[in-house]
Each structure stands twice: as C-alpha cells, then as structure tokens.
Amino acid sequence: VAINRERQMVNPLLLEVINLANQKHSSDFQIDKINILIVDSKLPYSQAMGFNIIILTDGILKNATDEELKAVLAYELGHLYHKDSAILSAIIFVYIKF
C-alpha cells in the first residue's frame, strides 16, 4: 500500500522528466520501461542500475521536494542514457580478469 502511494507520487515527476529529456535530447525513454525500486531506508539515496532501473529510498522520497526529486530522477536517467552501469561493469570485469 505504501509502495503504491510512493509510486503515485514518483510517476508524474518521472513522466515530466522523461518528456523533457525526450524533447531536448532526442532520447526515447518511456515511463513503462523504467523500473522504479523503492528501498525502505531513512538515508536519502538514489542509484541507476542496469539499463532501466532507478532505485530510490524512502528517505529521499520523504525529504526531497518535487523539484529536488525531478533533479534526482533526471540525474539517474542520465546514467541510464549513457549506460554507465554497463560500462562500469565492463571496466570492473576487465580489471579483475587481468
């Protein structure tokens, strides 16, 4: 129940950020392809993982304003757009391999 309420709060903000990103950068983000994972933690934290996952904590959702959340979502979408997780994984794999 709480998760649904948090998703209802995040989805309109995410949609706004996605629409802006798609207009300004010719990206093709779609809200139904971005998975938002909400972690039960008081610490304000966010992270992009893989190709379509954004992790947000309760701490950031409860303490950030809508504008701050949009900034966080835009920042994490940037990581997804540039495939930073995949690149970092490749670098770590190569480093550990040799």
Side-chain angles (χ1 to χ4, degrees), residues 2-14 38 56-58 60-66 69 73:
I3 299 251
N4 287 333
R5 184 175 54 243
E6 290 159 341
R7 287 183 193 276
Q8 288 174 351
M9 178 183 77
V10 171
N11 279 349
L13 302 176
L14 179 60
I38 299 171
L56 301 171
T57 62
D58 286 333
I60 202 164
L61 294 175
K62 291 178 181 172
N63 294 304
T65 66
D66 284 355
L69 281 175
L73 292 168

Side-chain angles (χ1 to χ4, degrees), residues 9 23 25-26 28 32 37 39 43 49 54 56-57 65-66 70 72 74-78 82 84:
M9 178 183 77
Q23 289 171 7
H25 301 290
S26 300
D28 60 352
D32 59 333
L37 301 180
V39 176
L43 294 173
M49 288 186 64
I54 295 177
L56 301 171
T57 62
T65 66
D66 284 355
K70 286 192 284 187
V72 167
Y75 179 79
E76 299 304 345
L77 279 175
H82 291 288
D84 293 341

